[in-house]
Amino acid sequence: MAHSALIGAARRWARIPIAARIAVVYVVGRLITTGFLQLAAHLSGPGTRFGTDANIGSFVLGWDAQWYWLVAWGGYPSALPLTESGQVAENAWAFMPVYAYAAKVIGIPFGSWGAGALLISLVAGFFACLMLYRLLHQRIGSSAAMWAVTFFAWGPLAALFQVGYAEVLFVLLLLIALDLVARRRFAWVYPVVLVMAFTRPGILAFALYLGLYGILRWVRRRTDPLPARDVVHIVALGALATVTGFAWQVAAGLVTGDSGAYLATELSWRRNWGVGSEGFMPFDGWVQAAQFWFTQWGLPGWWGLIALILLVVGAGGALLFAPPVRRLGVDLRLWSASYLLYLLAVFFPQSSTFRLLMPLTPLWGAVAVPRSRVYRYGMLLVCLLGQWLWIYHVYALGNTFWQVP
């Protein structure tokens, strides 16, 4: 009898329009996250960043959200602030304008920038779930695509749907762009690229993806025709993504009169960890971090270099050979490889590493491919546990630079 009831419930669920099913999953996920955030606020003590009076509203405006708020109401400095040692200090140039100003406009009716930021993150998250399903369902099947959406909506980074960070808006734009490229509706990608470029760093990874995608289309041109108009669009979009990828650096240089203003600003955060004073060198951040972290853990620094090599080889091997990942299609694997290479080139891995992995959202499809119910429900529990641990450490306990989400 119970088995029959479950089958009946599953059939009724399957008859609900997909957008409504995704809405249910998303809303339930947001209620769970709200409960986690409320618990974190209750556990926030006098020694934490948010104090004993913490509430969900303070989390919405916490950490980097304060920088976006500062951009919205104070703009960008024309003179770079300096530390006592004469180095460039942390400042607003590290944060791009689209999310900050959009939240300001949307928050006007509510008299609150935070309300605007929360609405953008919430709404963008729902549409990102719709786009993730659209991107995946023909590749891995409707059931697996729905599970991928659930993992995404309930996953370790789900708090980002409810705080003042630009990641979710960027992911929505990214999924739209990836879907448009997959459907070869290139003319619509141009405005998406322009908005992406000034929402959050990462557009240079999309430029690399377009270059690799163009090479793939060229190699397959005998079995997959490559008309001249597609060549023009791919080259033009790649050029646009590249130019806009450096445009923010140019803007910072023109306003401040310092051509290295943006990179110096980004490196100011790295100096919190005691590294990054020599200037920016591609790929150097991971090499430094590999040795730094293993030394912090009381292990030889060269072990960290070996671990880094194994990590890079393992990630590359998974993208090339893992059957669930291969199910996603070459284009999504090219995006994943492009973004991972971008992170390897520019990032210093630290407490924000997990958040910066959010643009790899399409890989939730690979996680959802195995059909075992035990596996899928077990993975969902892992997602919820990861979400709570992340919220607990960066909001309930968050107090110092190594707990920045």
Side-chain angles (χ1 to χ4, degrees):
M1 182 68 70
H3 181 67
S4 299
L6 288 174
I7 293 176
R11 288 175 177 172
R12 288 192 295 274
W13 173 252
R15 286 195 294 267
I16 299 174
I18 188 62
R21 277 186 274 161
I22 290 174
V24 170
V25 167
Y26 187 70
V27 169
V28 172
R30 302 291 56 78
L31 292 174
I32 293 172
T33 300
T34 299
F36 285 163
L37 290 172
Q38 188 63 52
L39 180 56
H42 177 73
L43 294 175
S44 179
T48 68
R49 181 181 182 90
F50 299 99
T52 55
D53 297 326
N55 55 48
I56 293 179
S58 55
F59 294 158
V60 172
L61 296 172
W63 296 112
D64 286 0
Q66 294 181 349
W67 284 106
Y68 286 112
W69 174 86
L70 180 64
V71 168
W73 292 105
Y76 295 93
S78 57
L80 294 175
L82 302 177
T83 64
E84 293 181 358
S85 62
Q87 295 177 307
V88 174
E90 298 170 353
N91 65 84
W93 281 109
F95 300 89
M96 294 183 172
V98 167
Y99 183 83
Y101 289 112
K104 180 179 180 180
V105 172
I106 293 173
I108 289 174
F110 307 96
S112 167
W113 181 90
L118 177 60
L119 280 174
I120 291 175
S121 294
L122 280 172
V123 173
F126 172 64
F127 283 102
C129 288
L130 291 177
M131 288 306 307
L132 181 62
Y133 180 87
R134 176 182 172 88
L135 190 64
L136 294 177
H137 80 279
Q138 291 184 338
R139 302 166 187 259
I140 61 176
S142 296
S143 175
M146 192 67 200
W147 275 100
V149 168
T150 306
F151 294 152
F152 173 51
W154 295 23
L157 298 175
L160 292 174
F161 295 116
Q162 295 173 230
V163 296
Y165 274 67
E167 263 69 21
V168 178
L169 179 59
F170 182 87
V171 167
L172 170 60
L173 295 167
L174 169 67
L175 294 174
I176 291 172
L178 291 172
D179 183 68
L180 289 170
V181 171
R183 297 173 188 274
R184 301 179 186 179
R185 302 181 65 179
F186 297 108
W188 292 96
V189 183
Y190 292 93
V192 180
V193 165
L194 285 173
V195 181
M196 283 174 63
F198 300 100
T199 299
R200 173 195 179 279
I203 196 64
L204 288 176
F206 195 76
L208 175 59
Y209 157 73
L210 288 169
L212 295 175
Y213 171 81
I215 294 171
L216 174 69
R217 290 288 305 278
W218 176 261
V219 170
R220 293 182 170 181
R221 67 190 184 280
R222 295 186 184 277
T223 56
D224 182 8
L226 180 62
R229 65 178 180 275
D230 283 9
V231 174
V232 172
H233 279 307
I234 293 168
V235 172
L237 285 167
L240 178 64
T242 302
V243 170
T244 54
F246 289 102
W248 193 242
Q249 296 184 40
V250 175
L254 290 174
V255 172
T256 63
D258 182 350
S259 61
Y262 178 74
L263 290 179
T265 297
E266 290 289 357
L267 288 175
S268 67
W269 267 269
R270 191 179 298 185
R271 281 195 296 273
N272 285 330
W273 304 85
V275 298
S277 58
E278 304 84 3
F280 175 75
M281 287 289 293
F283 303 103
D284 189 48
W286 282 82
V287 173
Q288 289 183 346
Q291 299 172 84
F292 171 83
W293 284 112
F294 272 71
T295 301
Q296 291 293 309
W297 298 331
L299 300 171
W302 62 269
W303 284 19
L305 296 177
I306 294 176
L308 176 60
I309 293 171
L310 292 175
L311 179 65
V312 172
V313 172
L319 290 175
L320 285 171
F321 304 115
V325 181
R326 291 176 65 87
R327 285 278 303 276
L328 301 181
V330 178
D331 57 338
L332 296 186
R333 289 190 288 146
L334 287 178
W335 160 250
S336 300
S338 299
Y339 187 71
L340 287 172
L341 184 61
Y342 167 79
L343 285 185
L344 190 65
V346 305
F347 185 55
F348 177 85
Q350 30 86 4
S351 62
S352 299
T353 299
F354 297 107
R355 172 173 59 85
L356 294 184
L357 293 177
M358 201 172 193
L360 294 174
T361 289
L363 290 180
W364 279 118
V367 178
V369 164
R371 299 175 62 87
S372 166
R373 289 183 181 179
V374 173
Y375 164 82
R376 285 174 169 174
Y377 283 109
M379 185 56 65
L380 191 58
L381 289 176
V382 170
C383 286
L384 291 172
L385 177 61
Q387 181 185 161
W388 166 244
L389 288 175
W390 197 75
I391 290 172
Y392 177 66
H393 283 283
V394 303
Y395 288 111
L397 301 182
N399 187 41
T400 186
F401 61 87
W402 59 266
Q403 291 171 309
V404 179

